[in-house]
Amino acid sequence: MDDERIRERERLQIEQIRELDFEELQVEEVDDFHNSDSDDNDHLSSFPFSSHAQASGNFGDDELIFNPALASLHMYLGEVEDTQNRIAFVDGGTVLKIPLFYLEGVVLFPEATLPLRIVQPSFLAAVERALNQANAPSTIGVIRVYREGAQFKYASVGTTAEIRQYRRLGDGSFNVITRGKQRFRLKRRWTDVEGFPCGEVQIVDEDVPLRTPRDAFGKLVPVSKLQGRYPLSTVSLSTPLRDMEANSEESFESALSPSEKRLHYSVVDSIFCNSTSSDDDQVVATSTVQSSGSNPYSSRSIGCLASSHDDENEDEQSAIGKTPVSQEKYQKQNRLASFRESTDLSRFRMTPRAFWPFWAYRMYDSYYLAQRAADLWKQIVGVPNMEAFVNKPDILSFSIASKIPVSESIRQELLELDGVSYRLQREIELLESFDRVRCIHCQTVIARRKDMLIMSNEGPLGAYVNPHGYVHEIMTFYKANDIALRGRPVKKDSWFPGYAWTIANCATCETQLGWLFTATNKKLKPSSFWAVRGSQVADDMR
């Protein structure tokens, strides 16, 4: 019932926006935004939408707020039909031969939507081949192509795209909506006899999200080997982190096996032994410091602790009459026993279960990183909500990568990263550091993170296709700087129903950065916003 009500509201809103399109085009005057760093100098600074695209002001009853769900429907493509034959996920390592689409300025991720308009005869044949091929029905490969000087370069990692919906137009062209499926590595490519690119691709075998990734720590020297006593096999890397969260030292030690207890005590002893000299004068000095009430955890407050636990039960009387060396050994053992009785060792409770401190494992804990990334996304971007994917770190990492408003080269870097934890680490770094959007040619600051505007359910960045078949990934802002408009607003083929578009160039280097979208009626809010092409954004976003 909820889905039916939502669809009904969307249908009514679509009808309202279409009615507005028939009214006279009313475009507000737009300043050039030169030297507009101050929010007080820009009339758009009062726009009552945050980067989360939520209304914070009070609109009148006759005003209409744009529904972001409309943009994600790609209504400008018209009616489309669902495909019949689809392929399930294939195993990692599988080799497929599929048609390839080389797209400039586009990086496709698994689960991301990619609209296409196919007008060239060779690519029309590619779609026909994809719809009817037996080994991978309704599947194409998408590869990013980019320019280096006068040459084109092709990425080595791409994504398979499943044709979900399509429409054949009267002139023979296709409108297609695809969905990213799985990453692949391009093994070889060629041109088919019908003139379209084909490739042999190998599906990437994605890793399983882990809490204690064995590959990240398996080659490191464990703490237990500092004294060379216990082999690596005495400690399990796969022990869940929840086992490390004992409420007390007693409950922790009670769960240990005899060998684990010996290892636990040996590691605690080694912490103090390695940090204290065996010199007799230092032993006396540290004993004096200990008695003066210094920090019990300081390596200088306790003499070198003996590591042999069998000798701890030695009778006190046996020390009488022995050499000074034996007496010193007895004193060390006595200090060790006293330390264990008077000190809470809960800070060391993770030692027998982990080679490294808890925070080191968190750096590679996919689930912890997923929660952190989702929290940052909610704080900085907001829409869409990533909380549903916290328990699916692999899906979350691709979802953020497909929507984060950064340059295309950085997004290609995210696509090529193997390992869920490494991809999430990089995304967290980008979310924390992303602040400004610069022109890729002249480095002029054209927008800021705080000015982001969510105009699609897909998020702050999405892919759209124009009537000529060119796909553009754009990020939307309610304010931009140093941008010059070219031409008059055009209502036809608008990606956002109810808005007219105007070409926007960088005022410094005159490169086309994107478009200004202006509401065709004052009732529709926001009244205007900017769409910046991801391919024209510099990597430096600080």
Side-chain angles (χ1 to χ4, degrees):
M1 294 297 294
D2 292 339
D3 292 340
E4 292 179 2
R5 286 196 295 269
I6 292 174
R7 284 196 294 269
E8 180 64 18
R9 287 198 300 268
E10 290 179 355
R11 185 184 65 79
L12 291 175
Q13 190 160 24
I14 290 173
E15 292 178 356
Q16 289 176 311
I17 291 177
R18 285 175 174 172
E19 290 177 1
L20 293 177
D21 284 340
F22 286 103
E23 299 182 12
E24 181 181 358
L25 180 64
Q26 301 180 30
V27 181
E28 297 181 1
E29 293 295 330
V30 181
D31 296 334
D32 286 339
F33 294 97
H34 292 284
N35 301 321
S36 58
D37 289 346
S38 174
D39 292 343
D40 297 334
N41 296 331
D42 196 309
H43 72 281
L44 288 178
S45 62
S46 61
F47 177 63
F49 276 69
S50 69
S51 63
H52 297 230
Q54 296 176 340
S56 60
N58 296 323
F59 292 103
D61 295 337
D62 60 339
E63 293 181 322
L64 182 64
I65 302 176
F66 181 78
N67 183 359
L70 301 179
S72 59
L73 296 176
H74 298 281
M75 295 172 52
Y76 56 90
L77 293 177
E79 298 293 333
V80 289
E81 302 176 1
D82 293 337
T83 54
Q84 300 299 321
N85 298 322
R86 294 182 183 176
I87 186 175
F89 284 92
V90 299
D91 295 334
T94 302
V95 176
L96 300 175
K97 294 181 180 179
I98 54 178
L100 293 181
F101 279 67
Y102 300 119
L103 300 180
E104 187 175 4
V106 175
V107 181
L108 179 65
F109 286 86
E111 300 302 319
T113 300
L114 175 65
L116 298 172
R117 176 162 171 76
I118 314 300
V119 295
Q120 297 180 7
S122 59
F123 286 99
L124 291 174
V127 173
E128 293 280 7
R129 172 76 60 84
L131 291 173
N132 298 300
Q133 60 192 357
N135 63 329
S138 302
T139 301
I140 61 174
V142 177
I143 291 282
R144 172 188 172 238
V145 60
Y146 56 98
R147 299 173 187 266
E148 280 192 1
Q151 294 183 337
F152 282 100
K153 299 288 185 178
Y154 300 91
S156 60
V157 176
T159 305
T160 59
E162 180 184 65
I163 299 176
R164 293 288 185 89
Q165 297 171 308
Y166 72 100
R167 179 191 181 194
R168 191 191 302 271
L169 303 181
D171 58 0
S173 62
F174 272 106
N175 285 343
V176 178
I177 295 180
T178 69
R179 188 82 167 175
K181 293 284 285 186
Q182 293 174 275
R183 294 191 307 148
F184 65 78
R185 289 186 173 85
L186 183 62
K187 299 186 67 176
R188 64 188 183 94
R189 55 188 176 87
W190 66 90
T191 301
D192 188 81
V193 293
E194 297 185 71
F196 59 85
C198 286
E200 184 179 75
V201 303
Q202 184 173 35
I203 302 300
V204 174
D205 189 7
E206 304 289 357
D207 67 329
V208 178
L210 298 174
R211 288 196 178 278
T212 53
R214 188 181 302 271
D215 62 341
F217 296 96
K219 297 181 180 179
L220 299 181
V221 179
V223 175
S224 60
K225 282 194 171 182
L226 291 176
Q227 293 184 330
R229 290 184 167 196
Y230 300 101
L232 180 63
S233 59
T234 59
V235 178
S236 173
L237 274 175
S238 60
T239 303
L241 290 184
R242 61 175 178 272
D243 292 345
M244 303 178 188
E245 298 174 355
N247 293 327
S248 66
E249 179 67 14
E250 293 180 1
S251 62
F252 170 72
E253 291 187 2
S254 64
L256 301 180
S257 66
S259 62
E260 289 177 327
K261 285 183 179 180
R262 289 195 301 270
L263 178 59
H264 174 62
Y265 285 121
S266 71
V267 172
V268 173
D269 298 348
S270 68
I271 292 174
F272 299 100
C273 279
N274 293 336
S275 58
T276 308
S277 171
S278 60
D279 184 80
D280 292 343
D281 294 338
Q282 287 189 343
V283 171
V284 175
T286 54
S287 176
T288 304
V289 174
Q290 179 188 15
S291 63
S292 65
S294 64
N295 183 358
Y297 291 111
S298 173
S299 61
R300 302 294 299 174
S301 65
I302 300 177
C304 182
L305 305 180
S307 58
S308 174
H309 303 291
D310 295 335
D311 293 340
E312 289 180 18
N313 297 324
E314 183 180 0
D315 186 15
E316 182 178 348
Q317 297 298 325
S318 64
I320 301 175
K322 293 190 176 182
T323 63
V325 175
S326 299
Q327 293 179 1
E328 178 184 329
K329 180 178 180 181
Y330 168 75
Q331 291 175 356
K332 294 177 183 178
Q333 295 170 350
N334 189 38
R335 284 195 295 269
L336 172 61
S338 176
F339 170 77
R340 288 176 179 162
E341 292 176 359
S342 61
T343 305
D344 178 14
L345 297 181
S346 60
R347 63 177 297 196
F348 306 116
R349 65 179 182 270
M350 291 180 288
T351 304
R353 301 281 180 163
F355 293 146
W356 298 97
F358 185 64
W359 59 265
Y361 279 87
R362 273 192 164 184
M363 293 171 60
Y364 299 91
D365 180 349
S366 298
Y367 293 88
Y368 169 76
L369 293 171
Q371 183 63 66
R372 187 179 172 193
D375 292 341
L376 275 174
W377 183 270
K378 182 178 180 180
Q379 174 187 348
I380 296 173
V381 182
V383 179
N385 193 335
M386 297 293 180
E387 291 296 330
F389 302 122
V390 169
N391 292 327
K392 300 176 181 178
D394 49 345
I395 296 178
L396 176 69
S397 69
F398 286 132
S399 183
I400 290 180
S402 66
K403 300 171 176 60
I404 188 170
V406 295
S407 68
E408 64 168 292
S409 58
I410 292 179
R411 296 176 69 243
Q412 180 67 37
E413 172 195 338
L414 293 174
L415 182 66
E416 295 180 2
L417 278 176
D418 291 326
V420 178
S421 60
Y422 301 113
R423 191 178 303 113
L424 286 170
Q425 286 177 15
R426 179 61 172 142
E427 290 167 354
I428 290 172
E429 177 187 351
L430 291 172
L431 287 170
E432 291 177 335
S433 62
F434 164 50
D435 180 57
R436 302 182 180 187
V437 175
R438 302 176 184 271
C439 173
I440 192 174
H441 299 287
C442 64
Q443 301 297 313
T444 300
V445 176
I446 55 179
R448 289 174 170 79
R449 185 184 73 182
K450 64 183 179 64
D451 299 325
M452 280 192 307
L453 181 66
I454 310 300
M455 292 298 294
S456 170
N457 282 350
E458 296 291 331
L461 185 144
Y464 302 86
V465 61
N466 67 17
H468 305 289
Y470 293 98
V471 181
H472 298 283
E473 287 186 330
I474 61 171
M475 52 189 78
T476 50
F477 300 86
Y478 74 82
K479 186 175 73 172
N481 307 312
D482 292 307
I483 292 183
L485 300 179
R486 190 182 75 190
R488 299 291 300 171
V490 179
K491 294 170 58 177
K492 185 179 179 181
D493 301 315
S494 176
W495 297 327
F496 300 90
Y499 288 86
W501 53 270
T502 309
I503 295 176
N505 293 342
C506 175
T508 303
C509 64
E510 299 184 354
T511 302
Q512 184 189 351
L513 290 176
W515 302 265
L516 171 68
F517 284 86
T518 311
T520 57
N521 190 283
K522 289 185 178 180
K523 295 179 182 179
L524 185 59
K525 301 297 178 179
S527 58
S528 63
F529 63 92
W530 301 87
V532 178
R533 299 165 60 195
S535 61
Q536 301 303 309
V537 170
D539 292 345
D540 181 10
M541 307 191 78
R542 295 179 183 272

